[in-house]
Amino acid sequence: MTNMHTKAKTSPSDNTEISANLVEIRGKKRPRWTTLATALRAVREEAAWPFEGARNFTEWLELNAEHFGMKSTMLNTCMWMGKYYLEDLTPKLIQWNIPAPPLDELPEHIGPELLADLRKISRAGFSDTERHYAERIMMGSVRCAELRQAWVSCRKAIKKPHARGRVPAANYEQRESTRMRAGVFEAEMLSAILMHRGLLMENGEIIEYKVLHDTQQLFPDVPMPDFILVRRHAAAGISLEAIETRLRMTPEAERSGGRCRNFFDRVWLALPQEVLKSYRNTSQAFSCFDGVLAVGDQRVTIWKDSAAKTCGDKVDVLMRRLLARLLW
């Protein structure tokens, strides 16, 4: 397979077939993104420059974007996601025993936006999360918002903030290390919840939960925990439950849990399972939370639980019914 960085050919005659293919695609009203990906890759890797009045591929995209009815950035995304699917994802799908059709036979529901977020998760190093979502993408059972939320959680583990000189050099490395560990912990917890489709009890039974996404838009005036889960009960009702993730118990965690109590049916505190070993005989350590979750070994287990409230004081019944219809 041609490498993306292969030098362009030097003979003008090499452009004839590429130009003919582009003419055919431009004549279609709405060509599939996979067709565009293959054609654009040929332009980038095989065309002899200058080509169609452009000195390079970037300039060619700018000049020709309107002919394809989309922005040059989207065209570029189509090309790179075609490459990602062929060279990176397909071998993994085969290894995972997940169906991997040819690029031009991908179902309509698999678009470049989904693959773009999956590629980001892959490059962040969260292989279990990548496999989980790769399978669901191929099955058509994942929404863009859900995959984007998973990427946002993974990104916290790798993205460095701009210090802008405000953090003393002596403290920056330590503070950054703590932030990175917290980001990794949060991403691993989300991956485990999604993989098992809920929380695990100590006997191995799974309590099914769904993770809410774009919650800032749903609840603009509510204190936002790290995660919001929804559980459907046998009586056809649902509960809204919050999770605060921490590497250890702190006064700040207590305050955060207290702010959420009026808005959610249950507020959980999630801690690494090795940290919880020191709290085994401390009954009052987590009194500001309704339950405690132990995170480790790619699972989230209910470590301590108490009876849930009937409802958060400010949770609207209509919102509950609406969520029940949207999620199930």
Side-chain angles (χ1 to χ4, degrees), residues 45-273:
E45 297 177 357
E46 302 174 17
W49 302 98
F51 176 65
E52 294 188 342
R55 293 168 295 178
N56 52 54
F57 182 67
T58 301
E59 186 174 300
W60 184 88
L61 284 179
E62 294 292 340
L63 293 174
N64 289 272
E66 62 180 30
H67 298 304
F68 297 100
M70 60 181 68
K71 295 182 179 179
S72 60
T73 52
M74 188 61 198
L75 288 175
N76 204 35
T77 298
C78 289
M79 184 201 67
W80 282 105
M81 291 310 101
K83 173 182 170 62
Y84 163 66
Y85 180 78
L86 289 171
E87 297 187 1
D88 189 358
L89 185 57
T90 294
K92 292 178 179 177
L93 293 175
I94 294 173
Q95 180 183 352
W96 297 331
N97 293 320
I98 300 173
L103 179 64
D104 57 358
E105 295 180 14
L106 281 178
E108 292 288 344
H109 68 262
I110 301 179
E113 298 89 349
L114 282 175
L115 294 181
D117 283 333
L118 184 65
R119 179 173 177 250
K120 294 173 185 176
I121 292 173
S122 172
R123 296 178 71 180
F126 293 92
S127 57
D128 291 331
T129 305
E130 180 191 14
R131 179 174 180 172
H132 170 81
Y133 279 111
E135 182 173 13
R136 292 185 59 193
I137 286 174
M138 302 310 294
M139 293 173 57
S141 63
V142 64
R143 298 178 181 179
C144 287
E146 180 180 349
L147 190 56
R148 177 57 54 86
Q149 179 67 36
W151 159 236
V152 168
S153 295
C154 292
R155 185 177 61 188
K156 294 178 181 179
I158 62 173
K159 185 179 180 182
K160 288 189 176 183
H162 295 289
R164 298 186 184 277
R166 297 172 186 168
V167 181
N171 298 336
Y172 181 78
E173 184 176 348
Q174 179 181 358
R175 190 173 303 184
E176 177 66 7
S177 175
T178 301
R179 188 201 62 79
M180 293 283 283
R181 292 200 310 273
V184 170
F185 176 66
E186 185 175 321
E188 289 178 345
M189 192 197 74
L190 175 62
S191 176
I193 292 176
L194 295 173
M195 188 180 304
H196 295 286
R197 301 184 187 278
L199 307 178
L200 278 73
M201 301 179 67
E202 288 190 345
N203 62 6
E205 181 183 347
I206 296 176
I207 302 178
E208 183 179 351
Y209 280 88
K210 291 185 180 293
V211 182
L212 277 187
H213 305 285
D214 297 329
T215 53
Q216 202 65 51
Q217 297 178 14
L218 284 172
F219 309 104
D221 301 323
V222 175
M224 281 295 102
D226 294 318
F227 296 102
I228 297 179
L229 303 183
V230 184
R231 178 184 177 186
R232 187 175 186 179
H233 299 276
I238 65 173
S239 60
L240 292 176
E241 305 184 16
I243 298 181
E244 290 287 351
T245 61
R246 296 295 187 276
L247 295 176
R248 59 188 178 86
M249 186 61 176
T250 63
E252 184 276 331
E254 294 184 22
R255 292 191 295 270
S256 182
R259 287 193 297 267
C260 292
R261 289 182 68 88
N262 288 334
F263 294 90
F264 297 95
D265 299 309
R266 182 187 270 116
V267 181
W268 299 92
L269 173 66
L271 292 170
Q273 61 182 9

Side-chain angles (χ1 to χ4, degrees), residues 249-251 253-259 261 266-269 271 276 279 282-292 303-307 309:
M249 186 61 176
T250 63
E254 294 184 22
R255 292 191 295 270
S256 182
R259 287 193 297 267
R261 289 182 68 88
R266 182 187 270 116
V267 181
W268 299 92
L269 173 66
L271 292 170
L276 283 168
Y279 289 102
T282 309
S283 59
Q284 299 299 321
F286 309 107
S287 58
C288 56
F289 292 93
D290 301 302
V292 180
W303 184 81
K304 175 180 177 292
D305 194 10
S306 60
K309 296 173 291 185

